[in-house]
């Protein structure tokens, strides 16, 4: 299977289950004209995957995209430390949504699926010292919303409602259910 993503988290999640992955990515502008956030993130996920699938028509190609939303504002990856600090302050003491969309395409088999999984994350109130410490770790710099739930950012999370792995970047449970609907059993995943 081809993973159309450079995300080490997505690769790790899929590898843990036994997927044999080849990484291939295309530069795609991450924009969408869709209105609803869920549709927007599914569209961006699709665009990333379809470009790789066009050059690998017989392969299963999977990819994903994640966004963090609070009070109608989408928080992408921070461009610098100042932006990371602003994002973490916005999330401090509040609830936000994390939506991860994944796309699975195999052009030869006429498979084209895009799904989205939404979860809620509740942050504790974060002190300025904690924000400084976290930014110094460099962890927030390549993550939507400026935090990683699977790393040091876990200390900010009071609770979640939803799928941990979706918040991490790939809803593996949901994905395996999708494969099962396609007739691909868990024991066969190394073959795709």
């Amino acid at each position: 299977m081809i993973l159309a993503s450079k995300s080490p988290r997505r690769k790790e999640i899929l590898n843990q289950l036994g997927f044999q992955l080849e990484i291939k990515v295309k530069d795609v502008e991450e924009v969408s004209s869709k209105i609803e956030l869920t549709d927007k993130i599914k569209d961006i996920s699709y665009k990333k995957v379809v470009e790789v699938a066009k050059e690998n028509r017989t392969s299963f190609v999977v990819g994903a995209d994640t966004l963090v939303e609070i009070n109608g504002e989408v928080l992408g990856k921070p461009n610098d430390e100042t932006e990371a600090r602003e994002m973490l302050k916005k999330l401090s003491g509040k609830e936000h949504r994390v939506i991860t969309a994944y796309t699975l395409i195999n052009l030869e088999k006429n498979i084209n699926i895009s799904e989205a999984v939404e979860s809620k994350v509740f942050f504790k109130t974060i002190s300025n010292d904690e924000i400084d410490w976290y930014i110094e770790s460099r962890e927030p710099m390549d993550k939507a919303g400026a935090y990683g739930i699977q790393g040091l950012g876990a200390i900010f999370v009071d609770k979640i409602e939803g799928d941990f792995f979706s918040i991490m970047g790939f809803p593996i449970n949901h994905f395996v259910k999708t494969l099962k609907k396609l007739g691909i059993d868990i024991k066969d995943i190394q073959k795709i």
Side-chain angles (χ1 to χ4, degrees):
M1 183 163 59
I2 296 170
L3 176 60
S5 172
K6 290 184 270 189
S7 166
R9 291 161 297 284
R10 292 186 182 114
K11 182 177 186 283
E12 175 189 347
I13 292 167
L14 289 160
N15 279 156
Q16 281 180 343
L17 210 59
F19 287 95
Q20 302 301 309
L21 300 172
E22 186 179 350
I23 309 297
K24 293 186 179 181
V25 293
K26 289 286 198 184
D27 283 330
V28 176
E29 194 176 4
E30 294 188 25
V31 295
S32 173
S33 60
K34 306 285 184 187
I35 305 301
E36 292 295 320
L37 277 184
T38 301
D39 294 335
K40 194 177 288 272
I41 196 77
K42 283 168 61 175
D43 187 40
I44 292 168
S45 171
Y46 170 80
K47 286 176 180 178
K48 290 179 177 181
V49 175
V50 75
E51 289 306 312
V52 174
K54 286 176 186 175
E55 294 179 0
N56 301 274
R57 299 185 67 79
T58 61
S59 299
F60 283 91
V61 183
V62 66
D65 203 42
T66 300
L67 68 76
V68 172
E69 179 270 329
I70 184 164
N71 300 326
E73 181 183 357
V74 174
L75 304 181
K77 295 175 184 174
N79 292 312
D80 54 35
E81 291 182 4
T82 301
E83 205 168 273
R85 184 172 281 101
E86 288 170 7
M87 288 182 187
L88 291 166
K89 285 183 177 187
K90 285 177 185 174
L91 297 173
S92 178
K94 296 186 181 83
E95 164 193 337
H96 62 274
R97 291 193 304 165
V98 178
I99 305 170
T100 296
Y102 67 87
T103 299
L104 176 66
I105 296 176
N106 183 309
L107 292 174
E108 183 183 65
K109 297 180 186 297
N110 202 28
I111 294 170
N112 185 340
I113 299 167
S114 288
E115 298 284 342
V117 177
E118 183 176 322
S119 304
K120 290 181 182 174
V121 180
F122 299 79
F123 262 31
K124 70 172 194 158
T125 300
I126 310 169
S127 71
N128 287 330
D129 285 345
E130 288 172 315
I131 290 173
D132 291 342
W133 165 83
Y134 189 52
I135 288 172
E136 283 175 23
S137 78
R138 307 301 300 156
E139 186 178 277
M141 301 316 295
D142 69 338
K143 292 168 183 65
Y147 78 95
I149 194 168
Q150 73 283 1
L152 300 174
I155 68 162
F156 304 142
V157 178
D158 265 341
K159 69 175 183 173
I160 68 168
E161 290 177 5
D163 183 316
F164 174 82
F165 289 100
S166 179
I167 299 164
M168 191 172 157
F170 194 84
I172 190 68
N173 180 35
H174 200 280
F175 181 65
V176 169
K177 288 177 186 175
T178 297
L179 292 178
K180 197 165 184 85
K181 289 177 191 172
L182 294 171
I184 301 167
D185 199 70
I186 191 76
K187 65 183 180 351
D188 299 322
I189 60 173
Q190 292 182 346
K191 298 174 189 169
I192 64 169

